[in-house]
Amino acid sequence: MRRLNKKKALNFVKELDAFPKVPESYVETTASGGTVSVLAFTAMALLAFFEFFVYRDTWMKYEYEVDKDFTSKLRINIDITVAMRCQFVGADVLDLAETMVASDGLQYEPVVFELSPQQRLWHRTLLLIQNRLREEHSLQDVLFKNVMKGAPTALPPREDDPTHPLNACRIHGYLYVNKVAGNFHITVGKAIPHPRGHAHLAALVSHETYNFSHRIDHLSFGEEIPGILNPLDGTEKVSADRNQIYTHTHTTKIQEFESIFRVINHAAGSHGVSGIFMKYDISSLMVKVTEQHMPLWQFLVRLCGIIGGIFSTTGMLHSLVGFCIDVICCRFKLGVYKPKSMSVFDGHVNSLTPLLSENAEH
């Protein structure tokens, strides 16, 4: 009696369950199904792993804008080594309005012009990168990412004590100029102010000391950003004549430059002043570079799409493969088909179909 009541109670509880249950006869475990499940979970794990790296990656966005701020000053960052002693050279800026810009932010440091082995290796690597950048502009994205991470691109310090005399001058620092065209130049003698512009005390320097071989380790416009490579970085010119003039023409904000040199020979009509001249012009356009990152919600949506897509795809493929196997093995069944049972009763099949025809009986 108690067992009967307990069984009725269990049946009553099952009837109260609102969620339909799948009969155990519908659940079938097969080797092919297990293999498909393992492959599906493996594919989901691999794709989710690679998707995480895509989420961590960033890309650069370039936007062109019109520079509306003409009243502020523009900073020029300079690091140039000239193969002359510091007391024989002077550097300053003269803009389009014949305004001489103060060069108080520049420092003159006696150095050796020849690079150490480690510095020379770094310099060759920099030149190789610059050549690749002129051919493949897409590498600029890699450089900007290195900038965001603060990767060093400056000339490393010497690893050994120089044995040669300090025969060169490293001019480095910064200048603030007006946003108009001008030229930054390094020539013989220190610069002095003049009512009609400016002048250099070149008469006090012997002509035998002239040597404007130079190396530009860094030249940029705007606030200095560690890690970025500029078009003139790594440029090295070795002079074969004492009377040479080097001219580097640079257009800011669009990063275009041109470098030419010629020998000063007044008898041949080639006039000028020996030195290094960097002429620059200001563009009205500015490029805004921002680093973008995939948002978290987009990463989660893509992850759910990967999981759901693999589940659906593997299910359809498993059903299609099973269907093809059934067709090939001649085991495809439409509905539930069972042949009728045959029994013999008094010469008839199932008492309905005669086993022998009437002609056969006669």
Side-chain angles (χ1 to χ4, degrees):
M1 189 68 179
R2 290 181 180 178
R3 291 181 179 178
L4 183 60
N5 293 335
K6 186 176 181 180
K7 187 175 182 180
K8 290 182 179 179
L10 292 176
N11 294 333
F12 180 73
V13 171
K14 289 182 180 181
E15 292 177 359
L16 293 177
D17 193 356
F19 298 97
K21 302 298 181 181
V22 178
E24 295 182 358
S25 58
Y26 290 179
V27 180
E28 182 180 359
T29 58
T30 60
S32 60
T35 304
V36 170
S37 300
V38 171
L39 294 177
F41 282 109
T42 303
M44 282 188 290
L46 290 176
L47 292 179
F49 179 75
F50 291 124
E51 187 67 21
F52 177 73
F53 282 96
V54 174
Y55 168 71
R56 290 187 57 188
D57 193 16
T58 58
W59 61 91
M60 311 309 298
K61 182 180 180 181
Y62 301 90
E63 297 177 321
Y64 290 89
E65 299 178 356
V66 177
D67 187 6
K68 301 179 181 179
D69 186 11
F70 295 100
T71 59
S72 62
K73 299 289 184 177
L74 178 65
R75 174 168 169 161
I76 304 179
N77 306 293
I78 302 163
D79 191 352
I80 302 175
T81 302
V82 185
M84 291 181 64
R85 296 184 181 274
C86 293
Q87 63 266 28
F88 297 150
V89 294
D92 63 303
V93 174
L94 190 66
D95 61 16
L96 190 61
E98 297 294 331
T99 303
M100 180 178 176
V101 180
S103 57
D104 299 335
L106 296 180
Q107 301 178 13
Y108 296 79
E109 178 185 352
V111 293
V112 178
F113 187 76
E114 293 295 330
L115 297 175
S116 64
Q118 183 177 356
Q119 290 177 330
R120 179 58 62 182
L121 178 61
W122 177 90
H123 185 261
R124 291 175 180 174
T125 305
L126 178 60
L127 292 180
L128 179 61
I129 295 175
Q130 291 284 34
N131 293 332
R132 291 293 300 275
L133 281 175
R134 296 185 182 101
E135 299 174 358
E136 302 179 15
H137 299 284
S138 60
L139 293 177
Q140 191 68 32
D141 291 349
V142 180
L143 295 179
F144 274 116
K145 291 181 181 180
N146 291 334
V147 171
M148 303 300 179
K149 299 177 182 178
T153 55
L155 180 69
R158 299 185 68 94
E159 71 276 9
D160 57 352
D161 295 330
T163 57
H164 301 282
L166 304 179
N167 57 354
C169 182
R170 179 191 175 200
I171 304 174
H172 59 97
Y174 59 90
L175 295 169
Y176 284 97
V177 299
N178 299 320
K179 289 186 176 181
V180 294
N183 72 83
F184 167 76
H185 53 270
I186 302 174
T187 187
V188 180
K190 300 298 181 181
I192 57 174
H194 192 271
R196 295 184 179 180
H198 76 295
H200 288 262
L201 296 175
L204 304 177
V205 181
S206 173
H207 187 269
E208 300 297 327
T209 62
Y210 285 19
N211 186 0
F212 283 99
S213 300
H214 62 281
R215 181 177 58 254
I216 303 176
D217 295 324
H218 181 78
L219 178 66
S220 63
F221 295 83
E223 295 299 323
E224 187 174 5
I225 304 177
I228 193 171
L229 292 182
N230 298 276
L232 289 177
D233 292 354
T235 302
E236 186 178 44
K237 301 293 182 180
V238 178
S239 176
D241 193 285
R242 297 186 184 277
N243 293 329
Q244 279 193 340
I245 177 173
Y246 294 89
T247 303
H248 302 279
T249 304
H250 191 281
T251 303
T252 63
K253 298 181 183 177
I254 57 177
Q255 300 298 320
E256 294 182 353
F257 76 96
E258 181 182 4
S259 182
I260 59 176
F261 72 94
R262 61 184 175 89
V263 178
I264 304 298
N265 189 347
H266 298 287
S270 179
H271 304 289
V273 179
S274 300
I276 306 167
F277 293 82
M278 300 181 185
K279 298 181 180 180
Y280 60 89
D281 195 4
I282 307 298
S283 174
S284 59
L285 295 177
M286 60 184 301
V287 182
K288 183 180 179 182
V289 183
T290 55
E291 185 180 18
Q292 293 190 337
H293 187 276
M294 181 188 297
L296 180 61
W297 65 267
Q298 187 176 357
F299 169 69
L300 296 178
V301 170
R302 290 167 63 97
L303 198 62
C304 293
I306 290 174
I307 297 175
I310 291 178
F311 264 119
S312 302
T313 304
T314 53
M316 289 187 295
L317 290 177
H318 183 250
S319 301
L320 180 62
V321 171
F323 173 81
C324 295
I325 292 176
D326 287 338
V327 171
I328 294 174
C329 297
C330 299
R331 288 187 291 129
F332 177 69
K333 300 177 182 180
L334 293 175
V336 180
Y337 171 76
K338 294 182 179 180
K340 294 182 180 181
S341 58
M342 299 177 61
S343 56
V344 179
F345 297 98
D346 300 331
H348 295 79
V349 178
N350 293 335
S351 302
L352 296 176
T353 305
L355 189 61
L356 300 173
S357 61
E358 295 180 355
N359 296 331
E361 293 178 355
H362 294 289

Coordinates of all heavy atoms in Angstrom, one line a residue, residues 70-120:
F70 N 47.5 80.0 -35.9 CA 48.7 80.7 -36.5 C 49.4 81.6 -35.6 O 50.4 82.1 -35.9 CB 48.2 81.5 -37.8 CG 47.6 80.6 -38.9 CD1 46.3 80.5 -39.0 CD2 48.5 79.9 -39.7 CE1 45.7 79.8 -40.1 CE2 47.9 79.1 -40.7 CZ 46.6 79.1 -40.9
T71 N 48.9 81.7 -34.4 CA 49.6 82.6 -33.4 C 50.6 82.0 -32.6 O 51.5 82.6 -32.1 CB 48.5 83.3 -32.5 OG1 47.8 82.3 -31.8 CG2 47.5 84.1 -33.4
S72 N 50.5 80.7 -32.4 CA 51.4 80.0 -31.5 C 52.8 79.7 -32.2 O 52.9 79.8 -33.5 CB 50.8 78.6 -31.1 OG 50.6 77.8 -32.2
K73 N 53.8 79.4 -31.5 CA 55.1 79.1 -32.0 C 55.2 77.7 -32.4 O 54.6 76.8 -31.8 CB 56.2 79.5 -31.0 CG 56.2 81.0 -30.6 CD 56.7 81.9 -31.7 CE 56.8 83.3 -31.2 NZ 57.3 84.2 -32.3
L74 N 56.1 77.4 -33.3 CA 56.4 76.0 -33.7 C 57.8 75.6 -33.2 O 58.8 76.4 -33.4 CB 56.4 75.9 -35.3 CG 56.7 74.6 -35.9 CD1 55.7 73.5 -35.5 CD2 56.8 74.6 -37.4
R75 N 57.9 74.5 -32.6 CA 59.1 74.0 -32.0 C 59.9 73.2 -33.1 O 59.3 72.3 -33.8 CB 58.8 73.2 -30.8 CG 60.1 72.5 -30.2 CD 59.8 72.0 -28.8 NE 60.9 71.1 -28.4 CZ 61.2 70.8 -27.1 NH1 60.4 71.3 -26.2 NH2 62.2 70.0 -26.8
I76 N 61.2 73.4 -33.2 CA 62.1 72.7 -34.0 C 63.1 71.9 -33.1 O 63.8 72.6 -32.3 CB 62.8 73.5 -35.0 CG1 61.9 74.3 -35.9 CG2 63.7 72.7 -35.9 CD1 62.5 75.3 -36.9
N77 N 63.1 70.6 -33.2 CA 64.0 69.8 -32.4 C 65.2 69.4 -33.3 O 65.0 68.9 -34.4 CB 63.3 68.5 -31.9 CG 62.0 68.9 -31.1 OD1 62.1 69.5 -30.1 ND2 60.9 68.5 -31.7
I78 N 66.4 69.6 -32.8 CA 67.6 69.5 -33.6 C 68.6 68.7 -32.8 O 68.8 68.8 -31.6 CB 68.2 70.9 -33.9 CG1 67.2 71.8 -34.6 CG2 69.5 70.8 -34.7 CD1 67.5 73.2 -34.6
D79 N 69.3 67.8 -33.6 CA 70.4 67.0 -33.1 C 71.3 66.7 -34.3 O 71.1 65.8 -35.0 CB 70.0 65.8 -32.4 CG 71.2 65.1 -31.6 OD1 72.3 65.5 -31.8 OD2 70.9 64.1 -30.9
I80 N 72.3 67.6 -34.5 CA 73.2 67.5 -35.7 C 74.6 67.6 -35.3 O 75.0 68.3 -34.4 CB 72.9 68.7 -36.7 CG1 71.4 68.7 -37.1 CG2 73.8 68.6 -37.9 CD1 71.0 69.8 -38.0
T81 N 75.4 66.7 -35.9 CA 76.9 66.7 -35.6 C 77.6 67.2 -36.9 O 77.4 66.6 -38.0 CB 77.4 65.3 -35.3 OG1 76.6 64.8 -34.1 CG2 78.8 65.3 -34.9
V82 N 78.4 68.2 -36.7 CA 79.2 68.8 -37.8 C 80.7 68.6 -37.5 O 81.2 68.6 -36.4 CB 78.9 70.3 -37.9 CG1 79.6 70.9 -39.1 CG2 77.5 70.6 -37.9
A83 N 81.4 68.3 -38.6 CA 82.8 67.9 -38.5 C 83.7 69.1 -38.4 O 84.7 69.3 -39.1 CB 83.2 67.0 -39.7
M84 N 83.3 70.1 -37.5 CA 84.1 71.2 -37.2 C 84.1 71.5 -35.7 O 83.1 71.1 -35.0 CB 83.6 72.5 -38.0 CG 83.8 72.4 -39.4 SD 83.2 73.9 -40.3 CE 84.3 75.2 -39.6
R85 N 85.1 72.2 -35.2 CA 85.1 72.5 -33.8 C 84.0 73.5 -33.4 O 83.6 74.3 -34.3 CB 86.5 73.0 -33.4 CG 87.6 72.0 -33.5 CD 88.9 72.6 -33.0 NE 90.0 71.6 -33.2 CZ 90.3 70.6 -32.4 NH1 89.6 70.5 -31.3 NH2 91.3 69.8 -32.6
C86 N 83.5 73.4 -32.2 CA 82.4 74.2 -31.8 C 82.6 75.7 -31.8 O 81.7 76.5 -32.1 CB 81.9 73.8 -30.4 SG 81.2 72.1 -30.2
Q87 N 83.9 76.1 -31.6 CA 84.2 77.6 -31.6 C 84.2 78.2 -33.0 O 84.2 79.4 -33.2 CB 85.5 77.8 -30.9 CG 86.7 77.2 -31.6 CD 87.1 75.9 -31.0 OE1 86.2 75.2 -30.5 NE2 88.3 75.5 -31.0
F88 N 84.1 77.3 -34.1 CA 84.2 77.8 -35.4 C 82.8 77.8 -36.1 O 82.8 78.3 -37.3 CB 85.1 76.9 -36.3 CG 86.5 76.9 -35.8 CD1 87.4 75.8 -36.0 CD2 87.1 78.0 -35.1 CE1 88.7 75.8 -35.5 CE2 88.4 78.0 -34.7 CZ 89.2 76.9 -34.9
V89 N 81.8 77.3 -35.5 CA 80.5 77.3 -36.2 C 79.4 77.9 -35.3 O 79.6 78.1 -34.1 CB 80.0 75.8 -36.5 CG1 81.0 75.1 -37.5 CG2 80.0 75.0 -35.2
G90 N 78.4 78.4 -36.0 CA 77.2 79.0 -35.3 C 75.9 78.6 -36.0 O 75.9 78.3 -37.2
A91 N 74.8 78.5 -35.2 CA 73.5 78.0 -35.8 C 72.5 79.0 -35.3 O 72.5 79.5 -34.2 CB 73.2 76.6 -35.3
D92 N 71.6 79.3 -36.2 CA 70.4 80.2 -35.9 C 69.4 80.0 -37.0 O 69.6 79.3 -38.0 CB 70.8 81.6 -35.8 CG 71.4 82.2 -37.1 OD1 72.4 81.6 -37.6 OD2 70.8 83.2 -37.6
V93 N 68.2 80.7 -36.8 CA 67.1 80.6 -37.7 C 66.7 82.0 -38.2 O 66.7 82.9 -37.4 CB 65.9 79.9 -37.0 CG1 64.7 80.0 -37.9 CG2 66.2 78.5 -36.7
L94 N 66.5 82.1 -39.5 CA 66.0 83.3 -40.1 C 64.7 83.0 -40.9 O 64.8 82.2 -41.8 CB 67.1 83.9 -41.1 CG 66.8 85.3 -41.6 CD1 66.9 86.3 -40.4 CD2 67.8 85.7 -42.7
D95 N 63.6 83.6 -40.5 CA 62.3 83.3 -41.1 C 62.1 84.2 -42.3 O 62.9 85.1 -42.7 CB 61.2 83.3 -40.1 CG 61.0 84.7 -39.5 OD1 61.5 85.7 -40.0 OD2 60.3 84.8 -38.5
L96 N 60.9 84.1 -42.9 CA 60.5 84.8 -44.1 C 60.5 86.3 -43.9 O 60.7 87.1 -44.8 CB 59.2 84.3 -44.7 CG 58.8 84.7 -46.1 CD1 59.8 84.3 -47.1 CD2 57.4 84.2 -46.4
A97 N 60.1 86.7 -42.7 CA 60.0 88.1 -42.4 C 61.4 88.7 -41.9 O 61.4 89.8 -41.4 CB 59.0 88.3 -41.2
E98 N 62.5 88.0 -42.3 CA 63.8 88.4 -41.9 C 64.0 88.6 -40.4 O 64.7 89.5 -39.9 CB 64.2 89.8 -42.6 CG 64.2 89.6 -44.1 CD 65.3 88.7 -44.6 OE1 66.4 88.6 -43.9 OE2 65.1 88.1 -45.7
T99 N 63.3 87.8 -39.6 CA 63.4 87.9 -38.2 C 64.3 86.8 -37.7 O 64.2 85.6 -38.0 CB 62.0 87.7 -37.5 OG1 61.1 88.6 -38.0 CG2 62.1 87.8 -36.0
M100 N 65.3 87.2 -36.9 CA 66.3 86.3 -36.4 C 65.8 85.7 -35.1 O 65.4 86.4 -34.2 CB 67.6 87.0 -36.2 CG 68.7 86.1 -35.6 SD 70.3 87.0 -35.4 CE 71.3 85.7 -34.6
V101 N 65.7 84.4 -35.0 CA 65.2 83.7 -33.9 C 66.3 83.4 -32.9 O 67.4 83.0 -33.3 CB 64.5 82.4 -34.3 CG1 63.9 81.7 -33.1 CG2 63.3 82.7 -35.3
A102 N 66.1 83.7 -31.6 CA 67.1 83.4 -30.6 C 67.4 81.9 -30.5 O 66.5 81.1 -30.6 CB 66.6 83.9 -29.3
S103 N 68.7 81.6 -30.4 CA 69.1 80.2 -30.4 C 69.6 79.8 -29.0 O 70.5 79.1 -28.8 CB 70.2 79.9 -31.4 OG 71.3 80.8 -31.2
D104 N 68.9 80.3 -28.0 CA 69.3 80.0 -26.6 C 69.1 78.6 -26.2 O 69.7 78.0 -25.3 CB 68.5 80.9 -25.6 CG 68.8 82.4 -25.9 OD1 69.9 82.7 -26.4 OD2 68.0 83.2 -25.5
G105 N 68.1 77.9 -26.9 CA 67.8 76.5 -26.6 C 68.8 75.5 -27.2 O 68.7 74.3 -26.9
L106 N 69.8 75.9 -27.9 CA 70.8 75.0 -28.5 C 72.0 74.9 -27.7 O 72.5 75.9 -27.1 CB 71.2 75.5 -29.9 CG 70.0 75.6 -31.0 CD1 70.6 76.1 -32.3 CD2 69.4 74.2 -31.2
Q107 N 72.6 73.7 -27.7 CA 73.8 73.4 -26.9 C 74.9 72.9 -27.9 O 74.6 72.2 -28.8 CB 73.5 72.4 -25.8 CG 72.5 72.7 -24.8 CD 72.3 71.6 -23.8 OE1 73.0 70.7 -23.7 NE2 71.2 71.8 -23.0
Y108 N 76.1 73.3 -27.6 CA 77.2 73.0 -28.5 C 78.1 72.0 -27.6 O 78.7 72.4 -26.6 CB 78.0 74.2 -28.9 CG 77.3 75.1 -29.8 CD1 76.3 76.0 -29.3 CD2 77.5 75.1 -31.2 CE1 75.6 76.9 -30.1 CE2 76.8 76.0 -32.0 CZ 75.8 76.9 -31.5 OH 75.1 77.7 -32.3
E109 N 78.3 70.8 -28.1 CA 79.0 69.8 -27.4 C 80.1 69.2 -28.2 O 79.9 68.7 -29.3 CB 78.1 68.6 -26.9 CG 78.7 67.5 -26.2 CD 77.8 66.4 -25.9 OE1 76.5 66.5 -26.1 OE2 78.2 65.3 -25.4
P110 N 81.4 69.3 -27.8 CA 82.5 68.7 -28.6 C 82.4 67.2 -28.5 O 82.3 66.6 -27.5 CB 83.8 69.3 -27.9 CG 83.3 70.4 -27.1 CD 81.9 70.1 -26.7
V111 N 82.5 66.6 -29.7 CA 82.4 65.1 -29.8 C 83.4 64.7 -30.9 O 84.0 65.5 -31.6 CB 81.0 64.7 -30.2 CG1 80.0 64.9 -29.0 CG2 80.5 65.3 -31.4
V112 N 83.4 63.3 -31.1 CA 84.2 62.7 -32.2 C 83.2 62.5 -33.3 O 82.1 61.9 -33.1 CB 84.9 61.4 -31.7 CG1 85.6 60.8 -32.9 CG2 85.9 61.7 -30.6
F113 N 83.6 62.8 -34.5 CA 82.6 62.7 -35.7 C 82.4 61.2 -36.0 O 81.3 60.8 -36.3 CB 83.1 63.5 -36.9 CG 82.1 63.5 -38.0 CD1 81.0 64.3 -38.0 CD2 82.3 62.6 -39.1 CE1 80.1 64.3 -39.0 CE2 81.4 62.6 -40.2 CZ 80.3 63.5 -40.1
E114 N 83.5 60.4 -36.0 CA 83.3 59.0 -36.3 C 82.5 58.3 -35.2 O 82.7 58.5 -34.0 CB 84.7 58.4 -36.4 CG 85.5 58.9 -37.6 CD 84.8 58.5 -38.9 OE1 84.2 57.5 -39.0 OE2 85.0 59.3 -39.9
L115 N 81.7 57.4 -35.7 CA 80.8 56.6 -34.7 C 81.6 55.4 -34.2 O 82.4 54.9 -34.9 CB 79.5 56.2 -35.4 CG 78.6 57.3 -35.9 CD1 77.4 56.8 -36.7 CD2 78.1 58.2 -34.7
S116 N 81.2 54.9 -33.1 CA 81.7 53.7 -32.5 C 81.0 52.5 -33.3 O 80.1 52.7 -34.0 CB 81.4 53.6 -31.0 OG 80.0 53.5 -30.8
P117 N 81.6 51.3 -33.2 CA 81.0 50.1 -33.9 C 79.5 49.9 -33.6 O 78.7 49.7 -34.5 CB 81.8 49.0 -33.4 CG 83.1 49.6 -33.1 CD 82.8 50.9 -32.5
Q118 N 79.1 50.1 -32.3 CA 77.7 49.9 -32.0 C 76.9 51.0 -32.6 O 75.8 50.8 -33.1 CB 77.5 49.8 -30.5 CG 76.1 49.6 -30.0 CD 76.0 49.4 -28.5 OE1 77.0 49.5 -27.8 NE2 74.8 49.3 -28.0
Q119 N 77.3 52.3 -32.5 CA 76.6 53.4 -33.1 C 76.5 53.3 -34.6 O 75.5 53.6 -35.2 CB 77.3 54.7 -32.7 CG 77.2 55.0 -31.2 CD 77.9 56.3 -30.9 OE1 78.9 56.7 -31.5 NE2 77.4 57.0 -29.9
R120 N 77.6 52.8 -35.2 CA 77.6 52.6 -36.7 C 76.6 51.6 -37.1 O 75.8 51.7 -38.1 CB 79.0 52.2 -37.2 CG 79.0 52.0 -38.7 CD 78.6 53.3 -39.5 NE 79.5 54.4 -39.2 CZ 79.3 55.6 -39.7 NH1 78.2 55.8 -40.5 NH2 80.1 56.6 -39.4

